[in-house]
Amino acid sequence: AQSVTQLGSHVSVSEGALVLLRCNYSSSVPPYLFWYVQYPNQGLQLLLKYTSAATLVKGINGFEAEFKKSETSFHLTKPSAHMSDAAEYFCAVTSSGGYQKVTFGTGTKLQVIP
Amino acid sequence: ETGVTQSPTHLIKTRGQQVTLRCSSQSGHNTVSWYQQALGQGPQFIFQYYREEENGRGNFPPRFSGLQFPNYSSELNVNALELDDSALYLCASSPDRGREQYFGPGTRLTVT
């Protein structure tokens, strides 16, 4: 079984401030982890992925995430928030089984305050 | 390279009716997965098709069914629509059941 928990359904930051979105996972096998972003009335866009290589993963738009096995975490960060970062962010985990079912968290809405 | 496309964009149906949603996978991708995203929730896995065969299914009743065609496009069919079926339906494609999935813009279904 696999699951992800996103702490905080809403996060507000000031423009230029650090963005930290939290994700903890549960998986019975080594996980593959993802962060997706969803803008209003749009589909999901892949921000970054962890696939058992480097534990610090860099993605698009200046985002990065660090895989910490001891903490079962995969938190998303960005040093300086931009107004265009306002969106909903989903953490997701996949299985290493025969089919790649993706299990998503409940999402975190990021508000950026000017 | 054409990304994942879905049609229609929006759809309004009445309870009890049937609906068909369509998805064209990204060029070179032979795997399609369908997800239901209710308002304010994360996407929930419905099922996956790989080379025209169902390759895994989530916790959805049999009235949710699908097809994948030789060109790897796919359909999601929902029979006997219920009010709770109102959601954004997302299609994602990947090569060879790959873990990195590419999502379409979704179809917004409203059941009244």
Side-chain angles (χ1 to χ4, degrees):
Chain A
Q2 59 190 30
S3 65
V4 290
T5 302
Q6 292 184 242
L7 297 175
S9 58
H10 290 82
V11 170
S12 293
V13 300
S14 298
E15 191 175 16
L18 171 71
V19 176
L20 171 60
L21 304 183
R22 299 178 186 274
C23 172
N24 288 88
Y25 70 90
S26 173
S27 178
S28 56
V29 296
Y32 284 60
L33 294 158
F34 302 84
W35 276 98
Y36 285 88
V37 61
Q38 186 176 37
Y39 297 98
N41 300 313
Q42 294 189 25
L44 279 72
Q45 180 183 11
L46 180 66
L47 274 179
L48 49 80
K49 61 183 178 183
Y50 167 76
T51 57
S52 76
T55 56
L56 182 62
V57 180
K58 295 187 183 298
I60 62 171
N61 301 338
F63 285 94
E64 62 181 37
E66 186 172 8
F67 173 73
K68 291 186 176 180
K69 184 178 179 180
S70 61
E71 298 178 8
T72 61
S73 69
F74 190 57
H75 302 330
L76 181 71
T77 60
K78 182 175 180 178
S80 176
H82 191 273
M83 295 299 295
S84 61
D85 295 328
E88 189 156 21
Y89 293 80
F90 292 94
C91 181
V93 62
T94 73
S95 65
S96 58
Y99 67 92
Q100 309 312 324
K101 170 185 174 180
V102 180
T103 299
F104 286 86
T106 52
T108 298
K109 281 190 178 173
L110 176 66
Q111 180 186 22
V112 181
I113 303 166
Chain B
E1 183 180 88
T2 306
V4 179
T5 60
Q6 292 185 244
S7 62
T9 305
H10 295 89
L11 203 52
I12 300 174
K13 289 286 189 177
T14 303
R15 189 172 49 184
Q17 286 187 316
Q18 178 266 342
V19 69
T20 298
L21 310 182
R22 295 178 175 83
C23 170
S24 291
S25 60
Q26 187 165 317
S27 177
H29 290 185
N30 54 19
T31 305
V32 171
S33 302
W34 286 92
Y35 296 84
Q36 180 195 66
Q37 186 179 16
L39 201 60
Q41 302 294 321
Q44 298 291 316
F45 175 74
I46 303 175
F47 44 56
Q48 182 181 85
Y49 279 83
Y50 171 62
R51 292 186 173 179
E52 304 177 58
E53 299 285 334
E54 187 177 291
N55 187 48
R57 190 179 183 91
N59 295 325
F60 280 81
R63 59 189 185 85
F64 285 78
S65 63
L67 279 175
Q68 187 178 33
F69 300 98
N71 67 354
Y72 304 131
S73 66
S74 177
E75 286 183 354
L76 165 65
N77 299 291
V78 187
N79 294 322
L81 283 167
E82 301 176 0
L83 296 178
D84 285 348
D85 296 333
S86 295
L88 180 69
Y89 287 85
L90 295 164
C91 167
S93 75
S94 58
D96 297 328
R97 299 177 292 178
R99 294 171 178 83
E100 185 172 335
Q101 300 185 357
Y102 296 82
F103 283 80
T107 293
R108 173 75 62 188
L109 172 65
T110 302
V111 182
T112 61

